[in-house]
Amino acid sequence: MSMGMRRRAILLSLTFAAAVLVLAGALAVLAPSVSAPSAGEGARSGVVTLREAYQEHQSGLQVEARGEVVRVLPDDNEGSRHQRFILRLSSGQTLLIAHNIDLAPRLEGLQAGDTVGFFGEYEWNPEGGVVHWTHRDPGGDHPDGWLEYRGQRYR
């Protein structure tokens, strides 16, 4: 093999190796993440879960999403007291949030147009559904829920 052919072979090998490294890096960037979804991703998948739960009349699902407050309702003071408000999800679905204020702090200053994130239990109804258990379970028998409002998590 002549010196010129060796140089070409080495140059070709180096070029091929560089291309493989670039391609491997690109594939690593494009590969799905194994880590937990970000808050935004969890919220998007929660909206899909909630839409499907509503369409299939399912209840008892733990869900996470966020929505815009469209109406603040009076507290429900029968039995355990609940702060109540209606959220509209990005899908257009509306939900009643029933937040137990005997077990968790009230969202002070809540008004239409505010954004609230939540993790709680979904119960189907014809109006879009209800989310409750947005607080810690003092008995430890139910997954703890929460609300997020103005950068603070309420449990």
Side-chain angles (χ1 to χ4, degrees):
M1 186 181 279
S2 73
M3 190 62 114
M5 289 180 69
R6 271 193 202 142
R7 281 187 181 167
R8 280 190 216 138
I10 291 172
L11 185 58
L12 184 59
S13 295
L14 289 173
T15 302
F16 179 75
V20 167
L21 289 174
V22 168
L23 181 59
L27 289 176
V29 169
L30 295 174
S33 173
V34 181
S35 63
S38 70
E41 290 170 344
R44 278 193 297 278
S45 65
V47 170
V48 171
T49 299
L50 285 160
R51 182 180 60 228
E52 291 171 355
Y54 176 72
Q55 291 170 344
E56 298 171 16
H57 297 206
Q58 293 180 328
S59 290
L61 301 173
Q62 287 299 129
V63 293
E64 177 182 352
R66 72 180 61 255
E68 180 183 336
V69 176
V70 292
R71 189 165 166 210
V72 177
L73 303 170
D75 290 349
D76 176 2
N77 293 315
E78 300 277 327
S80 297
R81 297 175 310 128
H82 287 78
Q83 182 178 20
R84 301 178 314 144
F85 53 94
I86 298 173
L87 288 182
R88 178 172 291 119
L89 305 177
S90 60
S91 65
Q93 180 178 352
T94 56
L95 296 171
L96 171 64
I97 303 294
H99 181 59
N100 187 323
I101 52 176
D102 286 335
L103 296 175
R106 167 188 299 283
L107 279 66
E108 294 295 340
L110 185 68
Q111 56 188 335
D114 289 344
T115 299
V116 175
F118 62 88
F119 178 70
E121 184 175 310
Y122 174 78
E123 299 295 334
W124 183 89
N125 72 27
E127 289 80 34
V130 178
V131 174
H132 62 124
W133 283 98
T134 57
H135 54 81
R136 292 178 193 221
D137 177 15
D141 299 321
H142 193 280
D144 291 340
W146 45 260
L147 296 176
E148 284 184 346
Y149 174 60
R150 294 186 178 167
Q152 183 176 345
R153 189 167 278 192
Y154 296 76
R155 302 176 178 216

